[in-house]
Amino acid sequence: MKRIVTIILTAVLALALAACGSKSSDSSTTGTVYRTLDQIKEDGTINIGVFSDKNPFGYVDENGDYQGYDVYFAARLAKDLGVKVNYVSTEAANRIEYLQTGKVDVILANFTVTEERAEEVDFALPYMNVALGVVSPDANVIKSLDDWKAEDEMIVISGTTAETYLTANYPDIKLQKYDTYANAKNALENGNGVAWANDNTEVIAFALQNKGYTVGIPELGSKDTIAPAVSKGNTTLLEAINNEIKSLKDEKFFHKDYEATLLDTYGKDYEESLVVEGGEVK
Amino acid sequence: MPDLGLDVLLKGKNLARLLGGLGVAMRISMIAVVISIPLGIILGALMTWKNPVIKAILRVYLEVIRIMPQMVLLFLFYFGTTRAFGIDISGEMASIVVFTLWGTAEMSDLVRGALIAIPVHQYESAEALGFNRMQTYRYIIIPQTVRRLIPLSINLITRMIKTTSLILMIGVVEVLKVGQQIIEANRMVSPNAAFGIYLAIFMLYFFACWPISMLARYLENRWRV
């Protein structure tokens, strides 16, 4: 009995120490967390974080295969690096954490470039344009955020640029935060909030596919870009991705990508304004 | 009948994927349950001892785990271990560790509660009959405690199964995540699929938890004095 008690106590203590240790370790880490280009090539598999429930950018089809605009590029990147690809399902709120711990090599999950994020991760050249937009039901279309009613609530997804922008610029607007895209969508459809703020590509697509919703504000805030991201300091991989994006310009790869994955959702009208070719923003 | 988008379930491998997702959720919660119930019983018994050091340590463990939301614990163990020690554990492993820690803490408190609910005269009578401490527990206290514990621990087990819906935040694709993937992949062709898929997920959780409740009822009836 005494021995059992000792063993258990040791285990509990070890666990408690482990828990405390990880709590107080937000400060800098020792050693590198990421894998360099050579290490990835040696391993033969690249881990790429993508969305698995964000049609048409990153989603899983009925056969369990990853598809979408981001995934189309991810597959090409892996092919040109000569490695196999392992897709990791990420959420908007945990993308940075995945890179900072090196649990993925690249994030290709519709990642909008912002200054704050650039301090935490390294962005490669952009491959898409994006701004914020606000969609609301036809019965009460929100066209401006300036005369926001105090009791109304805005739906956002945690960890997205929409959340950051609204918190900084419209602190009086009450936000309803959801962890996943699917939950935010349900919330709007159930009338939990009066409007939904997200990337404009998202809200345009939502309004095109769902009758009874209008994009009252198609462009809000500054125009941003979407780019791949790697762990801070992973220059070899960053350069490889940048070179890849530059070399794909000649074959108009991202236009092909758009036509293969986004055409059904946005139509031909948005192709030129959304696609960024060769990392050059016009 | 309104269109519930149930046809989406039969597309491709969707149904198999949902069941696979349930399999992941059940595997994680069941491994955690199997480890945490015996551990919880031992810790719960230790908590009733008079030793102040053991009591204090266990109290701190219980409160820390109980106060922290499971989501925070999952992030701590999945990302925190990598940041602090450079240990790269899989999302599934982190989930099992967190659910075991949580299950053990909750179970130990249930056991402690059930043990102190046993009247003092039971212990005193055992002592009077010449039972030592081990024997008292083995023949008198534990059989009575187990009966009181059954409904409480069933509640805990079903809660552990349902809380696996959080592990999608650390990249583990379980039944809820698969459901959301299916809904999103079909949002153009069948916008109503959300109802059908959530209905299917509800049924899956129900059929996962129901047999456990049935087993509990059976045991309660069998052990009724």
Side-chain angles (χ1 to χ4, degrees):
Chain A
M1 189 70 189
K2 254 190 181 160
R3 257 176 70 189
I4 299 172
V5 173
T6 323
I7 292 166
I8 292 162
L9 277 181
T10 322
V12 171
L13 267 175
L15 287 169
L17 284 175
C20 295
S22 47
K23 252 181 294 170
S24 56
S25 65
D26 283 328
S27 53
S28 65
T29 47
T30 46
T32 50
V33 291
Y34 55 81
R35 302 192 298 167
T36 62
L37 184 62
D38 288 340
Q39 283 170 316
I40 294 166
K41 281 186 171 168
E42 208 171 293
D43 180 59
T45 306
I46 187 166
N47 297 316
I48 302 187
V50 292
F51 281 131
S52 69
D53 63 352
K54 205 174 178 201
N55 188 357
F57 298 103
Y59 65 99
V60 180
D61 70 9
E62 66 264 27
N63 295 316
D65 296 322
Y66 280 86
Q67 303 288 352
Y69 186 78
D70 295 338
V71 175
Y72 194 91
F73 175 52
R76 177 63 188 261
L77 178 68
K79 191 183 144 222
D80 289 347
L81 291 178
V83 291
K84 275 193 240 151
V85 56
N86 170 38
Y87 295 111
V88 179
S89 163
T90 57
E91 307 295 331
N94 64 20
R95 287 175 294 190
I96 290 181
E97 204 71 30
Y98 263 102
L99 284 178
Q100 288 185 332
T101 51
K103 285 185 186 279
V104 298
D105 300 307
V106 189
I107 285 279
L108 269 169
N110 230 250
F111 213 8
T112 309
V113 182
T114 65
E115 273 174 43
E116 293 82 20
R117 284 175 182 165
E119 283 168 19
E120 311 282 336
V121 300
D122 281 343
F123 283 105
L125 293 170
Y127 60 95
M128 209 176 113
N129 283 314
V130 71
L132 296 178
V134 177
V135 65
S136 40
D138 286 346
N140 178 24
V141 179
I142 307 285
K143 290 202 169 125
S144 159
L145 296 183
D146 297 328
D147 45 1
W148 190 265
K149 290 195 205 86
E151 72 273 17
D152 286 347
E153 293 190 6
M154 175 79 88
I155 295 165
V156 293
I157 303 177
S158 303
T160 57
T161 33
E163 183 195 7
T164 328
Y165 176 81
L166 288 174
T167 313
N169 296 291
Y170 294 90
D172 294 336
I173 295 181
K174 254 190 249 163
L175 299 180
Q176 254 178 43
K177 301 176 185 182
Y178 293 91
D179 279 329
T180 62
Y181 180 87
N183 289 345
K185 184 183 166 212
N186 286 347
L188 182 70
E189 286 168 352
N190 293 336
N192 294 0
V194 294
W196 179 11
N198 204 345
D199 295 349
N200 63 352
T201 49
E202 277 306 311
V203 294
I204 290 166
F206 180 84
L208 285 174
Q209 286 150 23
N210 295 275
K211 278 209 181 99
Y213 294 93
T214 305
V215 179
I217 309 173
E219 270 189 28
L220 180 70
S222 58
K223 265 202 138 213
D224 289 317
T225 53
I226 282 175
V230 299
S231 306
K232 195 93 196 149
N234 195 353
T235 43
T236 51
L237 184 58
L238 189 71
E239 263 170 46
I241 297 173
N242 282 343
N243 290 337
E244 174 79 7
I245 288 176
K246 279 182 205 154
S247 70
L248 288 173
K249 188 188 175 185
D250 290 338
E251 55 171 289
K252 286 191 158 271
F253 174 82
F254 288 103
H255 282 81
K256 273 189 232 160
D257 189 349
Y258 183 97
E259 279 148 31
T261 57
L262 301 187
L263 197 64
D264 288 344
T265 314
Y266 302 110
K268 205 80 180 134
D269 295 348
Y270 290 97
E271 180 161 345
E272 285 312 313
S273 59
L274 287 178
V275 170
V276 175
E277 202 72 69
E280 298 156 9
V281 185
K282 280 159 218 153
Chain B
M1 191 180 153
D3 174 26
L4 292 177
L6 284 171
D7 52 317
V8 169
L9 273 178
L10 301 173
K11 252 170 89 178
K13 297 179 192 150
N14 281 354
L15 194 59
R17 286 174 55 212
L18 263 187
L19 288 172
L22 183 71
V24 172
M26 291 302 287
R27 183 167 67 232
I28 289 169
S29 49
M30 283 303 121
I31 292 175
V33 163
V34 166
I35 304 172
S36 56
I37 289 207
L39 270 184
I41 290 173
I42 298 169
L43 292 193
L46 290 181
M47 275 170 148
T48 61
W49 284 16
K50 303 243 155 29
N51 188 325
V53 180
I54 293 179
K55 243 184 167 168
I57 292 170
L58 291 178
R59 198 78 221 158
V60 168
Y61 165 67
L62 174 66
E63 293 302 332
V64 165
I65 299 285
R66 204 157 49 179
I67 287 166
M68 281 218 257
Q70 277 84 47
M71 181 83 91
V72 175
L73 287 172
L74 286 170
F75 265 67
L76 267 180
F77 274 86
Y78 186 55
F79 296 116
T81 49
T82 314
R83 272 178 187 241
F85 314 112
I87 309 165
D88 187 15
I89 57 172
S90 71
E92 210 173 306
M93 196 60 207
S95 312
I96 291 173
V97 171
V98 167
F99 274 70
T100 304
L101 284 177
W102 171 49
T104 305
E106 293 269 351
M107 188 66 197
S108 70
D109 203 38
L110 296 179
V111 172
R112 188 190 60 87
L115 279 176
I116 57 173
I118 306 271
V120 188
H121 66 74
Q122 295 277 339
Y123 292 88
E124 288 167 351
S125 312
E127 211 173 320
L129 290 169
F131 283 37
N132 66 26
R133 191 176 222 157
M134 277 297 277
Q135 288 169 325
T136 311
Y137 276 96
R138 167 75 185 80
Y139 296 106
I140 305 199
I141 308 301
I142 290 177
Q144 295 184 68
T145 317
V146 165
R147 268 163 238 199
R148 290 169 201 235
L149 272 178
I150 295 267
L152 300 173
S153 38
I154 293 309
N155 188 16
L156 176 64
I157 293 170
T158 48
R159 251 168 67 219
M160 284 170 81
I161 293 174
K162 286 178 286 188
T163 310
T164 52
S165 58
L166 288 180
I167 62 178
L168 63 89
M169 288 306 292
I170 56 168
V172 182
V173 180
E174 44 65 74
V175 62
L176 191 66
K177 188 75 212 172
V178 175
Q180 289 176 347
Q181 289 175 352
I182 296 175
I183 292 166
E184 276 314 300
N186 294 284
R187 71 176 185 183
M188 276 173 268
V189 283
S190 95
N192 289 328
F195 297 106
I197 299 292
Y198 279 125
L199 184 70
I201 293 173
F202 163 77
M203 301 290 278
L204 288 177
Y205 274 125
F206 177 79
F207 285 114
C209 295
W210 192 50
I212 298 169
S213 300
M214 294 300 286
L215 177 71
R217 188 181 299 171
Y218 168 77
L219 288 177
E220 271 181 78
N221 282 336
R222 216 186 112 175
W223 289 344
R224 185 163 290 152
V225 190

